[in-house]
Amino acid sequence: MPDEIVRWIGEASPRTIVDGTYGGGGHTRLLRDILPAETDSNGLNPLIIGMDRDPAVIRRDDVPEGPGSDPRIELFLGSYEKAPAALAHCERTHADALVLDLGLSSDQLADRERGFSFTLPDAELDLRFDPESDLPAHQWLAFHGEKDIADAIYQFGEERFSRRIARQICLRAKERSPVKTVGDLVDICRRCVPRSKNHDIHPATRTFQALRIAVNDELGILQRTLASAADWIAPGGRIAAISFHSLEDRIVKNAFRDDDRWEILTKKPLRPTDEEVQSNPRSRSAKLRVAARKPD
Ligand SMILES: C[S@@+](CC[C@H](N)C(=O)[O-])C[C@H]1O[C@@H](n2cnc3c(N)ncnc32)[C@H](O)[C@@H]1O
């Protein structure tokens, strides 16, 4: 929903923007055009801080915003939860806008080695945004018991057959052939999840989503960040958050509702237009919510 992001954020006339989920840099490139041209009277230059947890995104050779190319853009490897540290590094305490476009990028989905898609059965079941931190998904499964695995698959994937799936995962571990690859988990899901009536959803979709959320602590990070964002977003500044499933959307909605320093600007979440869904089918479940930081 790039036009909406530019419009809602542009209305705040921001000088410092945090693009917390830089990905392919699409939003950053659009937001660059709404920055003021000049340094202000306090010597503060216009700046977009692009953050991403994925080293492959930030260290890509072809990043057009790479060091030296555009002084208005600084990229940081790390979770958007660390935005205050990135701001401090850029010698500022507050941002005027935070943009979050949650979930996976198309590049990550297309990277067949990382386990995000089901197309390469031999790929290691990893699912981490940052392959240099935390545990890959197959180890996460090895370290958790059947109940925890079932709860995660149910809670984060809303998968009705979570108990069956967790039982099979733990059975394989007991038989000394633990789930290690994408194909191992897809096979289990195929056996445990009946095919949906119109075959519109792969039997492993919900389970993979759940494990990705668990392994990356996606909901915890979102919750903690939104709970503290009013401390480092300047009065008059804005947050625009695009979520892709109901759990994320609920966290965004509640965070804006529960902190009276936010004025909710979108009473109902905004949805992509039919044209956008047609050109980018993955956007069909996107929901955008925007809030403005009230004056102190
Ligand atoms: C949907 S993509 C963003 C696409 C981007 N808006 C664009 O226009 O190209 C989501 C990105 O967020 C990153 N990400 C996920 N969780 C993150 C976190 N906690 N902190 C920073 N980046 C995160 C992922 O690595 C991925 O690159």
Side-chain angles (χ1 to χ4, degrees):
M1 303 168 87
D3 295 343
E4 288 81 356
I5 292 283
V6 169
R7 183 166 69 78
W8 286 97
I9 296 299
E11 282 176 8
S13 308
R15 177 166 289 278
T16 304
I17 301 175
V18 176
D19 179 356
T21 49
Y22 176 82
H27 283 146
T28 288
R29 280 189 285 281
L30 291 172
L31 291 166
R32 179 167 53 180
D33 295 337
I34 61 168
L35 286 177
E38 307 293 334
T39 297
D40 74 2
S41 53
N42 300 319
L44 207 61
N45 60 314
L47 183 67
I48 301 187
I49 294 177
M51 306 188 71
D52 205 291
R53 269 177 108 179
D54 185 348
V57 162
I58 298 292
R59 294 189 194 135
R60 232 173 27 205
D61 293 339
D62 62 346
V63 170
E65 298 79 19
S69 50
D70 187 336
R72 294 173 303 167
I73 297 171
E74 289 257 8
L75 296 187
F76 286 88
L77 175 61
S79 170
Y80 57 74
E81 193 177 4
K82 309 259 170 65
L87 283 163
H89 184 85
C90 299
E91 294 175 349
R92 46 199 91 194
T93 52
H94 287 76
D96 305 307
L98 168 66
V99 176
L100 296 176
D101 180 10
L102 301 164
L104 277 178
S105 70
S106 355
D107 287 345
Q108 287 163 334
L109 197 61
D111 183 342
R112 291 154 53 96
E113 300 298 326
R114 296 175 66 180
F116 288 123
S117 81
F118 324 128
T119 50
L120 196 67
D122 291 337
E124 186 182 311
L125 184 67
D126 190 319
L127 298 177
R128 285 171 297 178
F129 286 127
D130 176 0
E132 292 161 19
S133 76
D134 304 322
L135 295 177
H138 66 87
Q139 280 186 27
W140 188 95
L141 290 173
F143 282 115
H144 287 81
E146 187 174 322
K147 180 171 183 311
D148 289 345
I149 295 173
D151 287 350
I153 296 175
Y154 184 73
Q155 200 192 339
F156 301 147
E158 295 170 325
E159 172 56 73
R160 284 194 299 136
F161 301 96
S162 56
R163 306 230 165 270
R164 279 193 207 172
I165 297 168
R167 197 169 314 129
Q168 292 303 317
I169 290 171
C170 292
L171 208 60
R172 279 197 59 151
K174 273 191 204 121
E175 289 166 352
R176 297 190 185 283
S177 93
V179 167
K180 198 83 195 159
T181 65
V182 166
D184 294 340
L185 187 59
V186 169
D187 283 349
I188 289 179
C189 294
R190 280 220 174 90
R191 278 188 279 119
C192 295
V193 179
R195 298 189 81 176
S196 61
K197 267 196 206 115
N198 43 8
H199 299 202
D200 58 344
I201 172 161
H202 189 286
T205 299
R206 293 195 180 92
T207 301
F208 273 69
Q209 171 189 299
L211 280 184
R212 196 199 78 213
I213 290 175
V215 162
N216 294 294
D217 187 23
E218 289 177 45
L219 302 183
I221 289 176
L222 181 62
Q223 211 150 24
R224 291 192 296 274
T225 303
L226 294 180
S228 70
D231 298 336
W232 54 267
I233 293 189
R238 291 189 175 183
I239 297 186
I242 303 178
S243 59
F244 287 88
H245 54 79
S246 53
L247 299 166
E248 284 172 345
D249 182 54
R250 200 174 312 145
I251 290 174
V252 177
K253 179 177 153 191
N254 292 346
F256 290 166
R257 189 199 56 198
D258 294 344
D259 186 335
D260 55 16
R261 290 175 293 174
W262 293 115
E263 178 192 352
I264 296 170
L265 301 180
T266 48
K267 300 289 172 233
K268 289 220 160 86
L270 304 176
R271 308 299 305 263
T273 59
D274 291 346
E275 291 91 68
E276 185 174 353
V277 173
Q278 231 163 27
S279 67
N280 173 17
R282 289 186 60 222
S283 71
R284 69 183 177 280
S285 45
K287 287 183 181 169
L288 167 65
R289 292 187 188 266
V290 186
R293 172 75 164 78
K294 291 182 194 162
D296 281 328

